[in-house]
Amino acid sequence: MTSGQIVGYRRVSSSSQSLARQELPDVTGRIFEEKLTGARRDRPALQEMLGYVRDGDEVHVHSIDRLARSLKDLEDIVAEIIGKGASVRFLKENLHFKPDQDSDAFQTLMFQMLGAFAEFERNMIKARQAEGIKKAKADGKFKGKQPTIDHDLIIELS
């Protein structure tokens, strides 16, 4: 493995949230950032970062749940990074996965448990959201997503 750069990846779930608390102090290369749910793997900045990393690079992520909210996606993303000859470091959990490293059973267990917790948390959020919508509908308070375009204003401005 050749010496490369330290690349960062930061993600929050919505545009109203701040990336500031996800400090990546040792990054020497690019930092890829996005404000999208981690429930899907087809996130633009993630895909760009995966295409960008090279042999010898190290990817820094603040915490495991910032990379993915599904254990399968998390394992696949880490495997893809390692498959390119790069490593990945999760700062909060102090876990580091390298391409030339023998499997550390404890580190792998921690990684899988924390990934499973992230997936569980995502599922609980979805369940609570569905319960809230169901109750709001029953109470006549749920209106669904409101239109973002004012058609009357468009006609008036035309």
Side-chain angles (χ1 to χ4, degrees):
M1 184 165 95
T2 60
S3 179
Q5 63 183 332
I6 299 174
V7 175
Y9 178 78
R10 299 195 295 192
R11 181 194 65 77
V12 290
S13 298
S14 70
S15 60
S16 63
Q17 294 175 316
S18 171
L19 293 158
R21 80 167 185 85
Q22 296 178 36
E23 295 181 13
L24 302 173
D26 299 326
V27 171
T28 59
R30 286 185 59 188
I31 295 179
F32 297 86
E33 300 176 333
E34 57 199 342
K35 295 185 174 194
L36 291 170
T37 178
R40 297 179 50 165
R41 182 164 173 192
D42 61 347
R43 302 185 305 271
L46 173 65
Q47 295 307 315
E48 187 179 357
M49 183 269 295
L50 291 172
Y52 180 83
V53 295
R54 301 284 181 260
D55 181 44
D57 288 350
E58 183 170 289
V59 177
H60 282 197
V61 183
H62 177 71
S63 62
I64 285 176
D65 66 334
R66 300 298 85 203
L67 192 59
R69 288 294 211 157
S70 149
L71 180 57
K72 180 181 180 343
D73 285 347
L74 183 63
E75 290 175 323
D76 289 348
I77 292 166
V78 170
E80 187 171 340
I81 292 168
I82 290 171
K84 292 174 158 258
S87 64
V88 61
R89 181 183 302 268
F90 297 100
L91 304 179
K92 185 176 177 184
E93 295 86 0
N94 197 27
L95 296 175
H96 190 194
F97 297 91
K98 306 174 194 174
D100 57 355
Q101 162 185 337
D102 288 334
S103 180
D104 176 337
F106 181 74
Q107 179 171 267
T108 301
L109 173 65
M110 289 302 300
F111 174 72
Q112 290 174 337
M113 282 179 29
L114 293 168
F117 283 130
E119 185 172 341
F120 172 74
E121 181 181 33
R122 169 77 179 136
N123 290 335
M124 292 302 295
I125 289 168
K126 285 173 44 181
R128 285 192 301 268
Q129 181 183 34
E131 287 172 9
I133 290 171
K134 184 177 177 182
K135 179 160 179 23
K137 281 182 178 179
D139 294 345
K141 295 177 183 176
F142 184 78
K143 297 182 173 113
K145 183 175 180 178
Q146 299 302 306
T148 57
I149 298 173
D150 184 342
H151 294 288
D152 293 335
L153 180 61
I154 291 173
I155 291 169
E156 182 182 318
L157 294 173
S158 296

